[in-house]
């Protein structure tokens, strides 16, 4: 309530409704809040982002006039009731119905069974209204998923007739968020509670929509909710930054073991294993940071444009899905590694990892399960691939796939291994294999992405041609497709990091960032070296060069490590970890 | 107290002191308790295992007679005060001192500074006595770390004079364990409170020990505490089993998404990505299970033998260290993956992951930080290596390193790649590359271990020969050495799993276990395929065959998945997760 009073929680709303008309600022505010407390952050996200966002983006002026200002000030607390007990990722199959009744011009909202209860809903205890996603039925015909605003409680907090509520009970984390279940026993709302930006019920009771295809309508509606994913990715990134700031600063203070004949004990950060644990994660955090910056710019542009081009919208959705998954998986991994790197001290609640770990854990699941999101990313890649494929002849195609025709030819022929061995042993051409050459790194990650994507496309096409049904076909290449999504993200991150280095105007800083970017690229390629070797794109000698480069880069970056986490600019009070803020 | 009354918590003690003289049963009891509640399990471990274990194994009959029966019944609750704020892994450098005073024949126990406070000590609130590890000083001479029993509180629970206590505050998990800090301001205890099995102070006040070398004395004393590591590994394994039982059973009930044209939705466990997430972890859990069984047998034999051979003792210590690290890292990874695989339902406390995750997190740190333990394993490997090296001539050496002379020669020569390509493309020899052939799997993992160990040995020797000091040398190959430890464990696990399959007398069961063993081997080798390719031990075609084999094995094992977790025999009440126990 205090934050809402200060106006900092609804910056994305139009000025007329108490906002600042600035979606980019809203994302930045969310990212910043996440350095502090994640329960508070998620509560803000539910109220102003999801609930208010549904009213803003799926509703029309009438809805905005009626509710948005009260949402912005928190006078009207609400829920975003999409997920059901039986349907999480598969939103299209939710069971809740809203049936239009001609006589009364009302929508009758019903939960047909336990599996159709709205579940895990944030603000379920405090919410006075809910944006409920349900199957709209008009004249006995199912029109697919739409969003209806349903009052839950009166101003005293008492549940309204027909509304059921139950708390989700204790959770792994985010105990500051009141997650609960909601169900509706023929709850009636006036038809104007349908958020009708994309589909309307006319005064004479007909269902109309400018988007004829039901699937496209559904995805258009869902697309407007992309902001949730952008914000969760940002919050995951903030959590990673906190964890790394604590672990790196601790490692630069804590000493353990030393030369047997006395002398000062070594700082943890001077141990190779410790550098290898923390610094590649730091590098990837920076990579995610620069990509997230770009995503924020894209989201801001999209939500301030009158009519954003569909292609840009699709790119935004794909990047938001991919970065959400990448940033939150990274957060889980990073927080865990940092906790372990702080030993017993990391297990004490006062040093913050308890909260970071518990509260961020669900990030990999909510606002889209990460594995499902990676498949969305891959679907978008495959669509792009198909589009470009159709524009190219066979020769251009080869260029598209690899950008390096000669390598492609090598890869396809038995001769490649012989040739690469030759390359490997002829001094002078070895220079092209320097793991720290940016163009080489980019070429490797691009080639990997294209190769995995195109081979997934070929498998999909072949099996479809053979007459298998689409669901079975996609299921059969599912892991391949998820791999394509991951490969895509690895490449995108490097491009954004690389661009940030190029933009950097301070030479001294550029040198450090360049090194960190190398560490991101080299450790990512190293992790995938099995794949590169398997596909004849790398010789054993080159692969070993990558292994050695990681150690060297860690060593070179070690003196700058603490400055690199200080640069996140997290105030000590938000870091909230005594082990990180002790004097050196 | 109830468990102690039933006599199930001190089975490892001699019968005369209320135990069963059965260390193996004690480990099994610990492992079983860990299926239930980990706080309770850790409390049991601290009281009966660590505190009682110190008295039993570091003390002599006098101490046993005086304290052991009361420890077994919990009439004398106590602490194991080893770790200090400033010294965790480096026990040899603890700061607490116990100074012998001739006049009074007392030991004066002192905490010289804040860094020397005993920290993270379990039972610190409830303990009436502590086994305190401290630097023994006799006649002004430091004699290294010894263990002294120090009373903390009177029977009313009030702290005794000179003893300080502070609670560690909230923790990430294990909130049922009272971890705290203890410090001593010149606390005096009679000299017979020194646990003097390995070193004594004579009636005339001289320090004597049958083990002359102080380092060896220290490690001998620590070695008797190996049971703690055996038990923590076992508990980590139990936590992994709980997590997998919940996630696999849920995945065999929960449906999501289905063919667009209706029809039943798919079970999560029928998705390839889901199989790939859970089944390799299940396979490694079985591998760990069989290795842990063997470790339990070894520990039982050692603690029931009068004078176990030193070599066997060293093997026990090495396997205990390695399995503790492997099993607890595995637990952290498995519990996380299982939580995510259960989506939102996995985040609810009622479904158990909250407790499993929080309570097992510290397992990677306590009873030896895993990264440090892996270095212990490697040190033991390097010692073995040196021993065998000295017995062999140069030709035998080659055989030892690879067991396959021809491969070694290939690996060392430029020609290897050419030859392997030829092998790869000649039908008939390809059969030797079947990823599911056990001997081939074993050969690969053995070869990897030997190669990494021998190259680490060469690096250590070269740098030592060049005159660098030992600490710097070991630090410089630290990551290499940790890798050797991991490679060792991978191989050891396969051998134990493979032996268990061979022992299995029921053909139907043997078939399933054999498949699961294949999955363990194939996914482990697949994970390391970068290394195998890099070292010329695998062709790209073989590496791809491993990738494909994982998918196929998951598919083949899928029908048995639920039976494989049911076989852990965890009663539903201990599983404690409604999502896992619903009817199918």
């Amino acid at each position: 309530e205090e934050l809402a009073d200060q106006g900092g929680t609804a910056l994305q709303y139009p000025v007329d409704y108490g906002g600042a008309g600035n979606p980019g600022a809203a994302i930045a505010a969310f990212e910043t809040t996440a350095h502090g407390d994640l329960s508070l952050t998620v509560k803000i996200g539910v109220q102003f982002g999801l609930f208010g966002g549904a009213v803003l983006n799926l509703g029309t002026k009438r809805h905005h006039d009626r509710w948005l200002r009260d949402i912005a000030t928190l006078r009207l607390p609400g829920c975003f009731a999409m997920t059901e007990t039986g349907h999480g990722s598969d939103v299209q199959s939710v069971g809740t119905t809203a049936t239009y009744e001609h006589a009364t011009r009302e929508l009758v909202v019903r939960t047909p069974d336990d599996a159709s209860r709205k579940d895990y809903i944030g603000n379920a205890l405090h919410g006075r209204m809910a944006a409920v996603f349900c199957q709209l039925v008009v004249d006995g015909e199912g029109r697919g998923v739409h969003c209806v605003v349903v009052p839950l409680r009166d101003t005293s907090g008492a549940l309204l007739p027909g509304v059921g509520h139950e708390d989700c009970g204790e959770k792994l984390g985010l105990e500051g968020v009141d997650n609960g279940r909601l169900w509706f026993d023929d709850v009636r709302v006036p038809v104007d509670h349908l958020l009708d930006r994309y589909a309307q019920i006319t005064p004479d009771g007909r269902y109309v929509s400018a988007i004829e295809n039901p699937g496209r309508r559904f995805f258009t509606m869902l697309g407007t909710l992309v902001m949730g994913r952008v914000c969760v990715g940002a919050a995951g990134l903030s959590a990673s930054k906190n964890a790394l700031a604590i672990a790196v600063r601790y490692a630069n203070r804590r000493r353990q073991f030393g030369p047997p004949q006395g002398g000062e004990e070594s700082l943890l950060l001077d141990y190779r294993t410790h550098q290898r644990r923390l610094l590649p994660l730091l590098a990837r955090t920076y990579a995610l940071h620069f990509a997230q910056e770009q995503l924020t710019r894209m989201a801001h542009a999209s939500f301030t444009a009158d009519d954003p081009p569909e292609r840009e919208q699709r790119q935004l959705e794909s990047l938001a899905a991919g970065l959400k998954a990448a940033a939150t998986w990274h957060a889980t991994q990073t927080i865990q590694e940092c906790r372990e790197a702080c030993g017993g001290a990391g297990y004490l609640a006062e040093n913050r990892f308890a909260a970071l770990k518990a509260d961020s854990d669900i990030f990999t699941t909510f606002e889209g399960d990460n594995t499902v999101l990676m498949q969305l990313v891959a679907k978008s890649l495959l669509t792009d691939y198909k589009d470009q494929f159709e524009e190219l002849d066979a020769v251009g195609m080869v260029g598209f796939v690899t950008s390096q025709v000669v390598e492609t030819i090598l890869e396809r022929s038995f001769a490649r291994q012989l040739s690469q061995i030759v390359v490997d042993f002829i001094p002078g051409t070895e220079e092209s294999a320097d793991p720290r050459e940016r163009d080489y790194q980019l070429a490797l990650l691009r080639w990997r992405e294209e190769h995995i994507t195109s081979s997934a496309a070929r498998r999909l096409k072949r099996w479809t041609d053979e007459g298998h049904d689409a669901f079975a076909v996609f299921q059969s290449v599912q892991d391949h497709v998820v791999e394509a999504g991951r490969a895509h993200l690895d490449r995108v991150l490097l491009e954004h990091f690389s661009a940030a280095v190029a933009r950097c105007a301070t030479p001294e800083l550029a040198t450090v960032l360049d090194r960190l970017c190398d560490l991101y690229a080299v450790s990512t390629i190293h992790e995938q070296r099995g794949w590169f070797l398997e596909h004849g794109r790398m010789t054993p000698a080159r692969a070993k060069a990558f292994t050695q480069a990681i150690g060297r880069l860690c060593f070179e970056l070690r003196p700058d490590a603490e400055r690199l986490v200080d640069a996140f600019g997290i105030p000590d009070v938000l870091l909230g970890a005594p082990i990180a803020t002790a004097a050196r």
Side-chain angles (χ1 to χ4, degrees), chain A:
Chain A
E1 284 172 349
E2 281 178 35
L3 289 171
D5 283 348
Q6 292 168 21
T9 51
L11 300 168
Q12 70 272 40
Y13 297 177
V15 175
D16 291 349
Y17 300 102
N22 192 337
I27 301 167
F30 194 85
E31 186 180 330
T32 307
T33 311
H35 284 301
D37 180 84
L38 292 175
S39 281
L40 175 66
T41 308
V42 169
K43 283 286 276 187
I44 290 174
V46 169
Q47 166 69 16
F48 307 99
L50 295 177
F51 172 54
V55 171
L56 177 63
N57 295 308
L58 299 179
T60 47
K61 185 163 188 304
R62 167 175 58 171
H63 305 111
H64 303 163
D65 289 347
R66 194 161 160 195
W67 293 314
L68 211 49
R69 185 169 282 276
D70 285 351
I71 295 172
T73 57
L74 199 51
R75 274 195 296 271
L76 176 58
C79 310
F80 181 80
M82 179 184 270
T83 296
E84 297 181 350
T85 309
H87 288 100
S89 294
D90 188 4
V91 177
Q92 243 175 323
S93 302
V94 294
T96 306
T97 54
T99 308
Y100 176 69
E101 200 176 75
H102 279 282
T104 56
R105 283 195 56 73
E106 286 176 328
L107 293 164
V108 183
V109 180
R110 158 177 282 176
T111 303
D113 49 39
D114 277 0
S116 304
R117 294 180 308 180
K118 296 296 175 183
D119 210 342
Y120 315 107
I121 307 302
N123 283 0
L125 183 67
H126 298 145
R128 288 226 326 276
M129 235 174 224
V132 178
F133 288 79
C134 46
Q135 306 288 349
L136 181 64
V137 181
V138 182
D139 280 332
E141 192 178 346
R143 294 301 194 159
V145 176
H146 291 68
C147 188
V148 175
V149 174
V150 182
L152 301 176
R153 293 182 172 88
D154 61 25
T155 47
S156 79
L159 282 176
L160 295 172
V163 178
H165 168 259
E166 169 178 288
D167 193 81
C168 279
E170 286 183 25
K171 304 188 299 288
L172 200 157
L174 292 182
E175 291 290 40
V177 183
D178 49 325
N179 294 93
R181 300 181 187 101
L182 295 169
W183 57 93
F184 308 99
D185 184 12
D186 286 348
V187 173
R188 294 171 166 269
V189 298
V191 70
D192 65 4
H193 278 224
L194 173 69
L195 296 177
D196 61 353
R197 177 168 168 197
Y198 294 105
Q200 302 81 33
I201 296 178
T202 62
D204 59 340
R206 281 178 306 110
Y207 175 87
V208 293
S209 172
I211 308 173
E212 279 187 31
N213 182 308
R216 202 163 147 246
R217 192 189 310 134
F218 173 74
F219 286 108
T220 303
M221 287 199 243
L222 247 59
T224 62
L225 305 172
V226 68
M227 208 55 124
R229 285 182 188 156
V230 175
C231 284
V232 169
L237 187 53
S238 294
S240 296
K241 288 175 180 174
N242 277 39
L244 280 164
I246 297 167
V248 168
R249 293 172 73 170
Y250 180 63
N252 213 11
R253 283 159 179 73
R254 170 80 172 178
R255 294 176 183 277
Q256 197 77 176
F257 289 108
Q261 273 67 46
E264 202 168 29
E265 292 172 298
S266 293
L267 286 166
L268 296 190
L269 201 48
D270 286 325
Y271 286 99
R272 277 174 178 248
T273 47
H274 218 79
Q275 293 169 7
R276 285 289 289 265
R277 286 173 98 157
L278 298 180
L279 299 186
L281 294 172
L282 179 62
R284 191 171 170 91
T285 300
Y286 265 82
L288 285 161
H289 171 94
F290 292 119
Q292 184 74 33
E293 266 192 354
Q294 173 61 14
L295 177 65
T296 301
R297 276 191 289 268
M298 286 165 67
H300 182 82
S302 166
F303 282 89
T304 50
D306 285 336
D307 188 18
E310 199 191 315
R311 192 179 160 75
E312 280 176 26
Q313 189 63 22
R314 209 175 66 197
Q315 283 175 340
L316 167 64
E317 287 168 24
S318 172
L319 186 59
L323 264 187
K324 185 271 184 187
T328 58
W329 266 328
H330 178 71
T332 299
Q333 183 195 357
T334 299
I335 295 165
Q336 183 63 35
E337 195 68 55
C338 290
R339 198 299 289 157
E340 291 180 34
C342 293
Y347 199 64
L348 300 183
E350 66 171 20
N351 287 322
R352 194 67 194 279
F353 291 108
L356 286 173
K357 194 174 144 158
D359 294 342
S360 69
D361 183 273
I362 197 64
F363 286 17
T364 55
T365 298
F366 73 11
E367 290 301 305
D369 174 87
N370 282 3
T371 302
V372 176
L373 290 182
M374 275 299 180
Q375 292 173 61
L376 286 187
V377 172
K379 274 186 187 167
S380 154
L381 286 179
L382 290 166
T383 310
D384 285 351
Y385 184 81
K386 188 162 158 279
D387 291 352
Q388 296 204 32
F389 183 85
E390 280 164 4
E391 288 163 17
L392 289 168
D393 57 19
V395 176
M397 183 69 199
V398 170
F400 171 71
V401 172
T402 68
S403 312
Q404 281 169 293
V405 174
V406 66
E407 291 281 355
T408 312
I409 292 164
L410 287 174
E411 212 262 326
R412 297 221 172 131
S413 71
F414 166 48
R416 79 181 184 280
Q417 300 251 357
L418 302 177
S419 317
Q420 288 217 338
I421 287 166
V422 173
V423 168
D424 201 34
F425 282 82
I426 298 173
T429 55
E430 187 68 71
E431 65 189 345
S432 68
D434 183 357
R436 294 171 72 161
E437 195 182 303
R438 188 62 35 81
D439 287 343
Y440 177 52
Q441 297 160 354
L442 280 164
L444 283 173
L445 291 185
R446 281 179 188 142
W447 182 80
R448 177 162 187 264
E449 175 191 356
E450 303 291 359
H451 188 98
I452 296 178
T453 308
S454 63
S455 59
R458 279 194 302 271
R459 283 177 70 188
L460 283 166
K461 186 167 185 317
R462 188 171 65 239
W463 294 11
T464 308
D465 289 350
E466 287 172 8
H468 302 285
D469 81 82
F471 183 72
V473 168
F474 200 77
Q475 219 174 347
S476 69
V477 296
Q478 204 193 11
D479 41 3
H480 193 152
V481 152
V482 168
E483 203 52 31
R486 288 181 181 267
H488 172 71
L489 262 292
D490 285 344
R491 187 266 298 171
V492 165
L493 292 186
L494 181 57
E495 287 185 347
H496 287 299
F497 200 159
S498 182
V501 174
R503 279 197 307 272
C504 180
T506 317
E508 208 188 334
L509 177 58
T511 305
V512 177
L513 280 183
D514 191 41
R515 214 170 260 158
L516 197 64
C517 185
D518 275 340
L519 181 57
Y520 163 69
V522 166
S523 54
T524 302
I525 293 165
H526 172 76
E527 244 171 56
Q528 302 300 338
R529 74 197 197 284
W531 191 91
F532 285 110
L533 286 157
E534 210 171 68
H535 288 78
R537 186 59 177 83
M538 201 180 259
T539 59
R542 279 190 212 183
K544 286 180 182 168
F546 274 89
T547 309
Q548 285 154 8
I550 297 178
R552 206 159 44 237
L553 283 163
C554 285
F555 178 78
E556 289 176 21
L557 282 161
R558 189 257 170 270
D560 295 308
E562 184 156 341
R563 268 176 296 184
L564 283 165
V565 297
D566 288 347
F568 295 145
I570 311 167
D572 282 358
V573 65
L574 289 189
L575 218 46
I579 49 167
T581 51
R584 286 199 56 193

